[in-house]
Structure formats: C-alpha cells, structure tokens
Amino acid sequence: MSNTIKPKTPVVSTPKPAESAKPAAASSTSAPKTNAGWGATGAARTPSPTAVSIAPGSGKTEVMCPVLRALANEGRVQLRADGTVSVDELNRAIKELGGSRPLGAATWAIGTIGNKPTDILKNIINHEFSLTKLPEGIVPHPADTQILRNGKFDEAKFNELVKHADRGVMTTESFANAIADNYRRDVGAGANKLDATVRGLNFAQLEFAGLLSVFGSKNNATGKTGIKVEDLRVMYEKGQIPPGMQGQSSSVIEAMALQASLAIKSDANVAAGALSSVFTSKGLSDAGARLSGGGANDGVGQSGQLASMSAGKAAACPHMGGAVKKPAGPAEVVNAHTL
Amino acid sequence: MINLEGFSFEPPAGFRTEEVTYGLRFGLPGSGPGPSFMLQSKLARQGAKFEELVQETMVELAQTIGQLKGLTNSEITFVDGAKGAVLAYDFPTHAGEMRQYFVMRMEKARLCNITLTIPKASLTDANAATFMKAIAALKAI
C-alpha cells in the first residue's frame, strides 16, 4: 500500500495574528490631562451628593451605563437624591461633548425607556429617568459587556472587551467582534436565543454606535473611527470622560452609519455559525473538532443558525451545502444577495 | 439494514443511500481530547470541477474558522491511483490547539470529504503518518 502526499504552494494565505489581534494592554491607565470635573472653559462642575455617594470605587452599587455613570460622576448631569436625572441636562451634556442635539435626544429616548415599563410614561412626562434603576429596565440585555453590571468595575470583563482592540484602539471591527463574542457567551450560558438575537445584538450595536459616534475619533491614515483602550479604561474604571474622548463632532447620521457598520460586522461574525451543518465544509470541520474534544463552537451553531434564519438568508441559501457555485468576488457576493 | 451505531434501520423498498456522514473517535468515551475522523460521501454539485470545489472549501474554511492558521493545500495520491487534495491547518479550541486535515476526493459524481482532527498536544509524526495512511487507503467502489 503506497501513497504520496506532495506539498503544493499554499494558495490561501491567512492573515497573521497581527499586532491588532493582541490583547491590548489592559493594565495601563493613563490619567486624564485635565482634572475631572473641569470643562474646557474652566468652568467647575460639581457632582451631586448622590453621585458622590455612589462614585466609582465607593463600594456601593454604581450606575451600570459607563457613559451615564461618567456624566454623573463628573457633574455634567446632576444626579438627584431619588436617582433621576433631567433629560434636558443630558442633552446639553452630550452636545457639550461633541454630540449633536438630535443625538442627545436619541440618548434621551433610550434613557426614558431604560427603566421599568411602569416608569416610562412618568419619565417622558417629566423629562427624566432614573440612573440608579437602570438594572430594572431594558438596559441589562444579553450580549452586553457586563463590565459594570454587578455595580462595580469588572477588570476581567473589561479585558474581554479590549482584547479585540486593534493596536490599542477599539474600532467598529473591535466592538463588532466583542458583541459577537458576548452574544455567544450568553447563548452558550443558556440565555434565551430569541432575546439574545433580537434584543441583545441590537442593543449592543446601538450602545457602541452611540459611544463611537460621540467619543470616537477618526484615524486619518486608516479612515477608521475608534476609541483608545486607555481612554475607555478611564471611563469604565474611573467614571471620567478623558480628554481623548472629548471634543469630537458627531451627528445622528454618523451614529446610524456606525450602527449599521457594527450590525453588518457583528451579524456576519455571528452568522458564520450558520455554516455548522455537516453538509458544509465548515460544519464538517467543526464536527471533527467536537469529536476530538475541542468543541470549538459549542453553542455557536444553533445561535448562528437562528441569527441567519431570522434574517431569512442562510436557511434558504443555495450556496450553502454546495448546491450552487459560491460567489467569489465582492461584486458577485453582492449580486447573489440582492438579485 | 443500516447500522447506525447502536441502532439499525431498515429503509422501505425503493430507498437508496444518497449521503453518508460518519464520525469516528479514537479511544474510550470520556478519555479527553483525542484524534477523530469525519467521513462523508455525497453527490458533488452538478458540473462542478474538483479544483473548484477544493478552492471553495479553502475559502469557506479560511473565512469561517476563527483564528485559522497555516492553511496549506497539498495533493494526495490514494492507493488506487486516484488524486485528491489535503487541506491542512491549525485552529484553537477550548481544549487547546487542533491540527486538522481536510481531505477531498471526487469520483464520478460523488465527493468524499474526510477530516482528521488531532489535538496538537498529542500530534506526532508517527500518529499523523498512521492516520494519513488510512486516509490514503480510501478506495472507490
């Protein structure tokens, strides 16, 4: 019995695990260049006593949204004794930081529905919502980072987020990959798949699109919008908006464009699991890994299939399973999915 | 009568096997990560050339397996003289890095795909050669 295996030149080159794939240095914390609590005009901002009482590091349950937490902690919005803030004040704060008024209004819309359904009408009428009651509303959703979910900064969860950074910067790709990872984490842990897919993915994409549009800056060389890991750390850990995240200019349109970009990237990442049928090459490969004990994509297949089925694409895709020749070039891919 | 490993199935008259997928694992159940085979025979896409199918498989694997590394395409000659393709690559899993060989062979209208997956921790030249020899013994009947 004879056989030969003749090596050929590799045809496909896989990208190097570039520097971008390396986890970003998570331990380096750069202090803001200006003292927290001081605006560019030098006007003093003082956090309210309630904000001080639940400030980062206080040991008390903190506000779980990193942006709202920082705004209250820096006195950009005044956290009242009952835990509420004025949405008009929030609008002004967002505008001051570089967001447009409509973007502030969009934030307000999210804020007002961030509490329990029974509070929403009161929130809209009074133009307020409770920062301290966010955990009771729709804000805690599947696929979130969980960095502040337990009421204080979670170092491990932060590192999970920033391991996707590209040379120390969290770009749309970085956030999209993080969202997809968080989605798989929650689905793998038994989260409701429909909730994780419909609510989790959408909310996570919306959150990070807002974050990037207000606080991100564009790298002229790459054209990518991103936020430095060190600045994100200051916001999540210290509850401050660092100078590197201030003074940007953004609009609702930019936020929507970023959200669309995030959605495409994170959905594509998740939908890759839809190829898990053994009648696809990826699925057969996965099955081999599973049998070998790797379980490379435990919990991914079903969730990915659901994501794709909800989009009404993968389940009926004639290219999967080899029934029809797969499109190769970008133009062919677009045509195959739009004709 | 079809043996389904612990089950048997007698299809009604008129049915014939169109596609088959087998999963084989080395060692006892629960013995931890170990080598495995996936064996599959199915009808190839009508009109598709073998090289085309190999190329598509490479693209699919490269685009969908997270952190896939070192993808290569080699030619294999089976004991009966037929030629096939071996795609080899590494990728990480919860149980450590895996080395996987994705072997393809086309015979008339049928395509046979075989994966050999070996945890890199237990990968040696000897066991890889033994397992690849078994793959190379694949015959068309």
Side-chain angles (χ1 to χ4, degrees):
Chain A
M1 191 177 286
S2 67
N3 64 79
T4 56
I5 302 174
K6 297 174 188 167
K8 282 201 301 194
T9 307
V11 182
V12 171
S13 62
T14 50
K16 278 193 237 174
E19 289 180 19
S20 58
K22 290 179 188 169
S27 56
S28 64
T29 303
S30 70
K33 287 171 190 156
T34 57
N35 292 328
W38 289 88
T41 59
R45 284 187 294 267
T46 308
S48 71
T50 307
V52 171
S53 71
I54 59 167
S58 63
K60 300 203 178 138
T61 300
E62 299 168 19
V63 176
M64 65 181 301
C65 167
V67 175
L68 297 173
R69 174 172 170 265
L71 295 179
N73 185 48
E74 290 194 343
R76 293 175 187 274
V77 293
Q78 292 297 305
L79 187 62
R80 301 167 184 152
D82 64 356
T84 61
V85 292
S86 155
V87 292
D88 293 330
E89 207 174 12
L90 177 62
N91 274 346
R92 277 196 298 274
I94 293 290
K95 190 167 185 293
E96 184 182 290
L97 285 165
S100 67
R101 189 140 191 104
L103 190 59
T107 315
W108 164 79
I110 297 166
T112 52
I113 61 170
N115 298 142
K116 283 192 293 188
T118 48
D119 291 331
I120 291 174
L121 182 60
K122 176 172 158 281
N123 288 347
I124 292 172
I125 291 171
N126 296 331
H127 276 219
E128 67 179 21
F129 68 100
S130 173
L131 293 194
T132 54
K133 288 184 178 174
L134 288 177
E136 297 173 2
I138 59 173
V139 173
H141 55 78
D144 75 350
T145 64
Q146 299 186 351
I147 295 171
L148 297 173
R149 187 181 272 202
N150 293 323
K152 58 178 191 251
F153 178 72
D154 187 322
E155 176 84 32
K157 292 287 194 312
F158 180 79
N159 288 337
E160 280 298 305
L161 171 69
V162 299
K163 76 179 183 186
H164 299 283
D166 180 353
R167 281 159 285 190
V169 176
M170 288 294 288
T171 62
T172 50
E173 285 88 351
S174 310
F175 282 116
N177 291 336
I179 291 168
D181 265 9
N182 292 340
Y183 170 82
R184 284 190 276 266
R185 173 202 66 203
D186 289 348
V187 169
N192 179 297
K193 292 189 179 91
L194 188 62
D195 186 38
T197 305
V198 175
R199 202 169 60 102
L201 282 177
N202 287 329
F203 273 35
Q205 289 156 2
L206 183 65
E207 281 170 358
F208 286 133
L211 191 69
L212 272 169
S213 65
V214 176
F215 301 111
S217 55
K218 187 175 272 188
N219 180 323
N220 289 331
T222 63
K224 292 180 179 177
T225 300
I227 300 174
K228 286 183 181 172
V229 168
E230 60 198 58
D231 286 340
L232 266 185
R233 171 176 276 277
V234 170
M235 185 180 73
Y236 273 104
E237 187 174 9
K238 309 288 183 192
Q240 297 164 2
I241 309 288
M245 289 171 65
Q246 297 182 28
Q248 316 301 335
S249 175
S250 61
S251 66
V252 169
I253 292 172
E254 284 171 348
M256 286 170 68
L258 282 166
Q259 191 192 351
S261 173
L262 270 174
I264 289 168
K265 287 164 184 157
S266 54
D267 288 353
N269 187 319
V270 169
L275 295 168
S276 62
S277 155
V278 291
F279 295 105
T280 67
S281 306
K282 164 71 162 61
L284 199 65
S285 168
D286 279 355
R290 179 176 53 79
L291 281 189
S292 284
N297 289 318
D298 283 349
V300 174
Q302 288 179 322
S303 52
Q305 282 162 349
L306 180 66
S308 297
M309 281 188 286
S310 66
K313 293 173 184 170
C317 177
H319 306 289
M320 288 173 56
V324 175
K325 183 184 177 185
K326 291 173 188 167
E332 286 177 283
V333 173
V334 171
N335 286 340
H337 291 89
T338 52
L339 288 177
Chain B
M1 183 74 72
I2 298 173
N3 180 353
L4 289 174
E5 189 60 30
F7 302 91
S8 66
F9 179 71
E10 183 71 55
F15 285 85
R16 57 175 179 74
T17 303
E18 175 100 352
E19 296 176 342
V20 178
T21 302
Y22 282 108
L24 308 175
R25 195 183 185 289
F26 184 84
L28 297 171
S31 56
S36 73
F37 280 111
M38 290 297 297
L39 314 170
Q40 184 177 70
S41 170
K42 62 181 181 180
L43 284 173
R45 188 177 70 238
Q46 205 169 9
K49 292 179 183 167
F50 181 64
E51 294 73 22
E52 197 173 66
L53 295 174
V54 172
Q55 197 67 34
E56 287 177 8
T57 300
M58 288 185 77
V59 171
E60 181 179 322
L61 294 174
Q63 290 183 342
T64 57
I65 296 180
Q67 300 175 59
L68 179 143
K69 288 184 290 191
L71 175 59
T72 61
N73 175 10
S74 307
E75 186 178 273
I76 179 171
T77 302
F78 297 94
V79 290
D80 58 6
K83 306 279 188 190
V86 181
L87 310 180
Y89 44 86
D90 301 328
F91 58 93
T93 71
H94 301 310
E97 191 101 337
M98 295 281 171
R99 177 74 168 163
Q100 190 167 68
Y101 301 91
F102 196 111
V103 181
M104 301 174 73
R105 172 175 175 176
M106 197 165 161
E107 201 65 39
K108 295 177 184 168
R110 296 200 74 82
L111 179 68
C112 182
N113 292 326
I114 300 177
T115 67
L116 165 61
T117 312
I118 309 175
K120 285 199 84 171
S122 60
L123 177 65
T124 64
D125 287 347
N127 65 13
T130 302
F131 299 144
M132 287 306 293
K133 193 173 175 183
I135 290 176
L138 179 78
K139 293 177 192 167
I141 52 173

